[in-house]
Short mmCIF file of all heavy atoms in Angstrom, two decimals:
data_model
loop_
_atom_site.label_atom_id
_atom_site.label_comp_id
_atom_site.label_asym_id
_atom_site.label_seq_id
_atom_site.Cartn_x
_atom_site.Cartn_y
_atom_site.Cartn_z
N LEU A 24 105.74 181.72 102.78
CA LEU A 24 106.64 180.83 102.04
C LEU A 24 105.85 180.01 101.03
O LEU A 24 104.92 179.29 101.39
CB LEU A 24 107.35 179.88 103.01
CG LEU A 24 108.08 180.52 104.20
CD1 LEU A 24 108.69 179.42 105.07
CD2 LEU A 24 109.16 181.48 103.71
N GLU A 25 106.22 180.15 99.76
CA GLU A 25 105.66 179.24 98.75
C GLU A 25 106.39 177.92 98.87
O GLU A 25 107.62 177.85 98.77
CB GLU A 25 105.82 179.79 97.34
CG GLU A 25 105.22 178.82 96.32
CD GLU A 25 105.55 179.19 94.88
OE1 GLU A 25 106.39 180.06 94.65
OE2 GLU A 25 104.95 178.56 93.98
N THR A 26 105.65 176.86 99.11
CA THR A 26 106.25 175.54 99.33
C THR A 26 105.81 174.64 98.20
O THR A 26 104.70 174.10 98.21
CB THR A 26 105.81 174.97 100.69
OG1 THR A 26 105.99 175.96 101.70
CG2 THR A 26 106.61 173.74 101.05
N ALA A 27 106.66 174.48 97.20
CA ALA A 27 106.28 173.77 95.98
C ALA A 27 106.24 172.26 96.18
O ALA A 27 107.00 171.71 96.98
CB ALA A 27 107.25 174.12 94.85
N ARG A 28 105.37 171.62 95.44
CA ARG A 28 105.25 170.16 95.49
C ARG A 28 106.59 169.47 95.24
O ARG A 28 106.97 168.55 95.96
CB ARG A 28 104.22 169.74 94.43
CG ARG A 28 104.22 168.26 94.06
CD ARG A 28 103.87 168.09 92.60
NE ARG A 28 104.74 168.89 91.76
CZ ARG A 28 105.95 168.53 91.34
NH1 ARG A 28 106.42 167.35 91.69
NH2 ARG A 28 106.69 169.32 90.59
N GLY A 29 107.32 169.92 94.22
CA GLY A 29 108.59 169.30 93.91
C GLY A 29 109.59 169.43 95.04
O GLY A 29 110.32 168.49 95.38
N GLY A 30 109.64 170.62 95.64
CA GLY A 30 110.55 170.83 96.75
C GLY A 30 110.21 169.98 97.96
O GLY A 30 111.09 169.44 98.62
N LEU A 31 108.93 169.84 98.22
CA LEU A 31 108.50 169.00 99.34
C LEU A 31 108.93 167.54 99.14
O LEU A 31 109.40 166.88 100.06
CB LEU A 31 106.98 169.06 99.49
CG LEU A 31 106.38 170.35 100.04
CD1 LEU A 31 104.86 170.35 99.86
CD2 LEU A 31 106.72 170.53 101.50
N LEU A 32 108.78 167.06 97.91
CA LEU A 32 109.10 165.67 97.65
C LEU A 32 110.60 165.42 97.55
O LEU A 32 111.07 164.33 97.86
CB LEU A 32 108.40 165.21 96.36
CG LEU A 32 106.87 165.20 96.44
CD1 LEU A 32 106.25 164.88 95.09
CD2 LEU A 32 106.40 164.18 97.47
N ARG A 33 111.34 166.43 97.13
CA ARG A 33 112.79 166.27 97.02
C ARG A 33 113.49 166.47 98.36
O ARG A 33 114.43 165.76 98.70
CB ARG A 33 113.37 167.27 96.01
CG ARG A 33 113.13 166.91 94.56
CD ARG A 33 113.99 167.77 93.64
NE ARG A 33 113.68 169.18 93.75
CZ ARG A 33 112.77 169.81 93.01
NH1 ARG A 33 112.08 169.14 92.12
NH2 ARG A 33 112.55 171.11 93.16
N ARG A 34 113.03 167.47 99.12
CA ARG A 34 113.80 167.89 100.29
C ARG A 34 113.01 167.90 101.59
O ARG A 34 113.56 168.14 102.66
CB ARG A 34 114.38 169.29 100.05
CG ARG A 34 115.24 169.37 98.80
CD ARG A 34 115.88 170.74 98.65
NE ARG A 34 116.64 170.81 97.43
CZ ARG A 34 116.18 171.24 96.26
NH1 ARG A 34 114.93 171.62 96.16
NH2 ARG A 34 116.94 171.28 95.19
N GLY A 35 111.71 167.71 101.52
CA GLY A 35 110.91 167.72 102.73
C GLY A 35 110.41 169.11 103.09
O GLY A 35 110.60 170.08 102.35
N LEU A 36 109.75 169.20 104.23
CA LEU A 36 109.17 170.46 104.70
C LEU A 36 110.25 171.33 105.33
O LEU A 36 111.00 170.88 106.19
CB LEU A 36 108.07 170.15 105.72
CG LEU A 36 107.12 171.27 106.10
CD1 LEU A 36 106.41 171.83 104.90
CD2 LEU A 36 106.10 170.73 107.11
N ALA A 37 110.32 172.57 104.91
CA ALA A 37 111.44 173.44 105.32
C ALA A 37 111.26 174.01 106.73
O ALA A 37 112.24 174.45 107.33
CB ALA A 37 111.60 174.59 104.33
N VAL A 38 110.05 174.04 107.25
CA VAL A 38 109.81 174.62 108.56
C VAL A 38 109.11 173.61 109.46
O VAL A 38 108.38 172.73 108.98
CB VAL A 38 108.94 175.90 108.47
CG1 VAL A 38 109.66 176.98 107.68
CG2 VAL A 38 107.59 175.61 107.83
N LYS A 39 109.34 173.73 110.74
CA LYS A 39 108.72 172.81 111.70
C LYS A 39 107.38 173.31 112.19
O LYS A 39 106.52 172.53 112.60
CB LYS A 39 109.66 172.60 112.89
CG LYS A 39 110.95 171.84 112.53
CD LYS A 39 111.80 171.62 113.77
CE LYS A 39 113.06 170.83 113.42
NZ LYS A 39 113.91 170.59 114.62
N GLN A 40 107.22 174.64 112.21
CA GLN A 40 105.97 175.22 112.72
C GLN A 40 105.52 176.36 111.83
O GLN A 40 106.34 177.15 111.35
CB GLN A 40 106.17 175.74 114.15
CG GLN A 40 106.37 174.65 115.19
CD GLN A 40 106.42 175.22 116.59
OE1 GLN A 40 106.86 176.34 116.80
NE2 GLN A 40 105.96 174.43 117.56
N ALA A 41 104.22 176.44 111.61
CA ALA A 41 103.63 177.53 110.84
C ALA A 41 102.33 177.97 111.52
O ALA A 41 101.66 177.17 112.16
CB ALA A 41 103.35 177.09 109.41
N SER A 42 102.03 179.25 111.38
CA SER A 42 100.81 179.79 111.98
C SER A 42 99.57 179.45 111.17
O SER A 42 98.46 179.39 111.70
CB SER A 42 100.92 181.31 112.12
OG SER A 42 102.02 181.65 112.93
N VAL A 43 99.75 179.25 109.85
CA VAL A 43 98.64 178.93 108.96
C VAL A 43 99.23 178.30 107.71
O VAL A 43 100.38 178.59 107.34
CB VAL A 43 97.82 180.20 108.61
CG1 VAL A 43 98.70 181.26 107.98
CG2 VAL A 43 96.64 179.87 107.70
N ALA A 44 98.48 177.42 107.08
CA ALA A 44 98.88 176.83 105.81
C ALA A 44 97.72 176.95 104.83
O ALA A 44 96.55 176.86 105.24
CB ALA A 44 99.29 175.37 105.98
N ALA A 45 98.02 177.16 103.56
CA ALA A 45 96.96 177.33 102.56
C ALA A 45 97.30 176.54 101.31
O ALA A 45 98.45 176.50 100.88
CB ALA A 45 96.78 178.81 102.21
N ILE A 46 96.29 175.90 100.74
CA ILE A 46 96.42 175.22 99.45
C ILE A 46 95.27 175.72 98.58
O ILE A 46 94.10 175.55 98.91
CB ILE A 46 96.36 173.69 99.59
CG1 ILE A 46 97.44 173.21 100.58
CG2 ILE A 46 96.55 173.02 98.24
CD1 ILE A 46 97.35 171.74 100.90
N THR A 47 95.61 176.33 97.45
CA THR A 47 94.58 176.96 96.63
C THR A 47 93.84 175.97 95.74
O THR A 47 92.65 176.11 95.50
CB THR A 47 95.19 178.07 95.76
OG1 THR A 47 96.28 177.52 95.00
CG2 THR A 47 95.70 179.21 96.61
N ASN A 48 94.55 174.96 95.22
CA ASN A 48 93.90 173.99 94.33
C ASN A 48 94.91 172.92 93.95
O ASN A 48 96.11 173.05 94.22
CB ASN A 48 93.37 174.67 93.05
CG ASN A 48 94.51 175.17 92.17
OD1 ASN A 48 95.34 175.97 92.58
ND2 ASN A 48 94.55 174.67 90.95
N VAL A 49 94.44 171.87 93.31
CA VAL A 49 95.31 170.86 92.73
C VAL A 49 94.85 170.60 91.30
O VAL A 49 93.66 170.74 90.99
CB VAL A 49 95.32 169.54 93.53
CG1 VAL A 49 95.95 169.74 94.90
CG2 VAL A 49 93.92 168.97 93.68
N SER A 50 95.79 170.25 90.43
CA SER A 50 95.45 169.96 89.04
C SER A 50 96.49 169.02 88.46
O SER A 50 97.55 168.80 89.05
CB SER A 50 95.37 171.26 88.22
OG SER A 50 96.63 171.90 88.18
#
């Protein structure tokens, strides 16, 4: 699941549990 910054801030985290999370970079 691609979890965009805007979506997180507007609607929160869509899932309660994940096996792994990745963040490639910030800019």
Side-chain angles (χ1 to χ4, degrees):
L24 308 178
E25 180 190 11
T26 311
R28 164 213 54 84
L31 288 169
L32 294 174
R33 284 193 298 270
R34 303 184 182 93
L36 193 57
V38 296
K39 293 182 178 180
Q40 291 186 328
S42 300
V43 57
I46 304 173
T47 54
N48 68 302
V49 294
S50 63

